[in-house]
């Protein structure tokens, strides 16, 4: 039979584990979303017949900013060159 203190400790441990699992799931969802966006950018570029060298492929796949990936995706829809997608057009 456990003491009241041991029960509190166990309850806190269980709550901590549940919170950790949920945080891990959320991180996993976000990582999956980011990876999916990067792959969609590459897919659109391939569909449009644009060559993507290894450095550009790695740049796209390692990007972790969803806004940047969304911008690249939008640009890829009408791009005629890879630089149309990846180059910063703001001046």
């Amino acid at each position: 039979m456990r003491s009241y203190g041991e029960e509190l400790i166990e309850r806190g441990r269980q709550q901590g584990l549940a919170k950790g699992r949920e945080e891990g799931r959320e991180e996993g969802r976000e990582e999956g979303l980011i990876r999916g966006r990067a792959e969609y950018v590459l897919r659109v570029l391939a569909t449009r017949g644009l060559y993507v060298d290894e450095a550009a492929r790695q740049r796209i796949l390692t990007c972790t900013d969803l806004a940047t990936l969304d911008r690249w995706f939008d640009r890829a829809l009408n791009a005629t060159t890879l630089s149309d997608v990846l180059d910063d057009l703001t001046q």
Side-chain angles (χ1 to χ4, degrees):
M1 185 163 183
R2 289 196 269 193
S3 70
Y4 180 71
E6 290 171 326
E7 287 290 329
L8 287 175
I9 290 170
E10 179 60 21
R11 217 176 302 148
R13 187 182 77 76
Q14 291 296 326
Q15 289 172 346
L17 288 174
K19 183 178 180 184
R21 282 191 299 268
E22 182 56 36
E23 288 172 355
R25 278 193 286 273
E26 183 60 34
E27 286 177 17
R29 280 186 214 111
E30 186 169 338
E31 288 173 12
L33 182 63
I34 289 168
R35 178 65 182 208
R37 296 273 172 89
E39 289 175 357
Y40 280 141
V41 171
L42 292 171
R43 187 173 178 181
V44 169
L45 292 170
T47 300
R48 296 193 47 76
L50 298 176
Y51 172 74
V52 179
D53 61 42
E54 190 57 31
R57 179 176 304 285
Q58 287 308 309
R59 181 177 174 196
I60 293 166
L61 289 173
T62 59
C63 180
T64 59
D65 181 64
L66 283 173
T68 298
L69 290 166
D70 283 340
R71 186 174 59 251
W72 288 346
F73 178 82
D74 291 343
R75 290 179 182 174
L77 294 172
N78 297 308
T80 56
T81 67
L82 185 59
S83 65
D84 290 343
V85 177
L86 299 179
D87 289 353
D88 185 12
L89 302 176
T90 59
Q91 300 197 13

